[in-house]
Amino acid sequence: MNDFNRRRLLAGLLAAGGGALATPHVFAQDAAQRRNLLETMTFAVPSFQLGVASGDPSADGFVIWTRLAPEPLQPGGGMVMAPVEVRWEVAEDAAFRTIAASGTAVAHPELAHSVHVELAGLRPDRPYWYRFRCGGERSLAGRAQTLPQAGARKDRLRFAAAGCQHYEEGHYTAWRRIAEEPVDFVYHYGDYIYEGRDTGSATRLMNGRPFTPMRQHVGQEIYSLDDYRRRYALYKGDPDLQAAHAAAPWFVSFDDHEVDNNWAAGLDQDGSPPEVFAFRRAAAMQAWYEHMPVRRSSMPVGGSVQMFRRATFGDLMDMHVLDTRQYRSPLGNGGRNGPMNDDFLSPQRTMLGDRQEEWLFTGLAQGTARWQLIAQQVMLMQLAVQPAGGGEMTYSADQWSGYLHGRERLLNHIADRGLTNVMTVSGDAHRHFAGDVLRNGGEGPPVTAEFLATSITSGSDGVGLDDPYHRSVAGNECLKAIIDRRGYVLCDVGRDTFRGELKVLDQVMRPDGELSTFATLVAEHGRPGLQRG
Ligand SMILES: [Fe+2]
């Protein structure tokens, strides 16, 4: 008997009969009618190894998440293949003296024994603490927070925007620092995992410089549901990442690497037949749902996820979280960056798809909060990049510059309605970029502004100010700050100002890199564009 099977047996079960159980939550038919439910079990090894998380807060609740995985990297996470009962409780204080809600959830093997409890009926604009219990074990506690009621007076909000956390390329120190920030929430722009294979421990070139992986992926490039689950388990085992999840509720989205580099709707980057790629995408979406603190409304159906959604923070801010992957047209120019061309400019091509675009435009036009925040994945600024060897300016095929007609529609909508309170956050580019967003390749006044958050680790230490890329983008007057370091953007939203601090770490290849603020930029309410703060 191998170690895995022995421990599975040790994770022995004391199945009890059915019986009426506490509050069903996410699944209407859950605990009360199950015939194969394990109400009691014991674990030979700790089962809450992937931490806890909360997300998608509203004024009266949020989602709390965990996953039972005594052996996270083994098939099935080392769990017995049966539905298992998990107790949960939500308290008004960190010591759990005043319990606000409690109940029983079922961790389903179909969902990798993840648990998503969708709370409702809580009080607005206050912190709560939560934890889980199963098999005589208790998880660590997490802290969540409800939002203010729509329209209620709110004077200040703080949040971190972050993403791109390649496991091999550095310590998650930035997550540890975010856990220590007094934020109301975290916005994750995507690239929570990377799909590539273990590339070995040897030193290689990355961005033209020698790089030795700090730690390694397990296995080959990921395609199957088991592959994706194991990749999430590997990443979520990191204690700094777990600390950031436990510290505040997150609004998560996804970008490309949750599935495959530069995928677009039904197409991958490799030219696989769409009907074949559909299986991979469905597996990736299921694993994403299983590991993210998102609502039931984001559970995949037929390989698709309802990811674009809105949150309202009293009268201070509305946040429109976009999905720039599932509905976009195929990348133009064969997916290659290049000079502006008919593909990039084609009115037939879309970044958001008609339904999402209409949803966003309506939401922006009808929003009554002081600020309207568009939280999305890829650069909205239209950066012209001078190739190192000279020649024509080039544009990214994967970012909004590759979907210029859709970009103009969005910017025209904002400008033509006189919306002077729109801000945007994004990521993906593995540097901090902060700047103004202008129409028609740079004409007229700024329409909005963008904080593009650098990566948590992707790109490793970075080169700081000694960055040859600065020369390539020097002609872009819209760009107010750029730096190749790892970190996050800390946003501080007041009634009159929207302030972004570009947080950077001096290095991530050793633990405990030193955090500093590279630049602070501020937008004034009613006056689109960034000023140095
Ligand atoms: Fe990335």
Side-chain angles (χ1 to χ4, degrees), residues 164 189-191 194 256-257 428 430 458:
C164 285
Y189 63 69
D191 289 0
Y194 281 77
D256 53 341
H257 290 288
D428 167 63
H430 302 182
S458 304

Side-chain angles (χ1 to χ4, degrees), residues 181-315:
E181 298 277 12
V183 294
D184 296 282
F185 69 93
V186 171
Y187 167 62
H188 196 296
Y189 63 69
D191 289 0
Y192 193 102
I193 57 165
Y194 281 77
E195 80 281 16
R197 66 185 171 91
D198 164 17
T199 51
S201 57
T203 298
R204 59 179 184 265
L205 282 182
M206 184 168 71
N207 301 332
R209 298 184 303 280
F211 164 73
T212 309
M214 182 207 100
R215 51 188 176 182
Q216 287 161 258
H217 279 163
V218 174
Q220 305 187 55
E221 180 159 347
I222 54 180
Y223 284 91
S224 73
L225 178 55
D226 271 350
D227 293 341
Y228 282 100
R229 284 172 170 167
R230 183 157 73 157
R231 189 59 56 88
Y232 276 103
L234 180 69
Y235 278 56
K236 290 186 79 78
D238 184 278
D240 294 333
L241 175 59
Q242 290 187 11
H245 272 297
W250 290 28
F251 290 93
V252 299
S253 61
F254 51 74
D255 193 20
D256 53 341
H257 290 288
E258 281 85 351
V259 182
D260 182 39
N261 181 49
N262 285 3
W263 69 282
L267 302 173
D268 70 3
Q269 64 168 350
D270 304 315
S272 305
E275 63 271 33
V276 174
F277 174 60
F279 290 103
R280 184 185 192 183
R281 179 178 137 172
M285 291 300 180
Q286 179 173 342
W288 176 83
Y289 171 78
E290 288 169 351
H291 293 86
M292 294 296 123
V294 291
R295 290 179 182 268
R296 174 74 187 276
S297 53
S298 293
M299 178 180 272
V301 177
S304 296
V305 170
Q306 176 61 49
M307 195 265 273
F308 66 82
R309 59 205 192 277
R310 190 172 284 129
T312 300
F313 303 82
D315 69 348

Side-chain angles (χ1 to χ4, degrees), residues 350-368:
T350 176
M351 181 64 108
L352 301 178
D354 293 345
R355 187 170 66 93
Q356 181 178 199
E357 194 169 283
E358 192 182 323
W359 168 88
L360 174 63
F361 287 6
T362 303
L364 288 172
Q366 295 179 351
T368 56

Side-chain angles (χ1 to χ4, degrees), residues 322 324 351-352 360 364 374-383 396 398-404 406-411 414 422-429 433 435-441 447-452 478:
L322 303 190
T324 56
M351 181 64 108
L352 301 178
L360 174 63
L364 288 172
I374 298 175
Q376 49 102 32
Q377 290 75 41
V378 291
M379 183 183 286
L380 184 58
M381 281 180 278
Q382 187 188 336
L383 276 200
S396 166
D398 188 54
Q399 300 168 348
W400 284 85
S401 58
Y403 297 80
L404 269 182
R407 181 182 185 276
E408 290 301 307
R409 279 197 301 274
L410 171 58
L411 298 183
I414 295 170
V422 178
M423 289 293 295
T424 74
V425 291
S426 60
D428 167 63
F433 293 82
D436 297 338
V437 181
L438 287 77
R439 287 192 277 187
N440 298 326
V447 172
T448 176
E450 178 171 27
F451 285 112
L452 186 156
C478 63

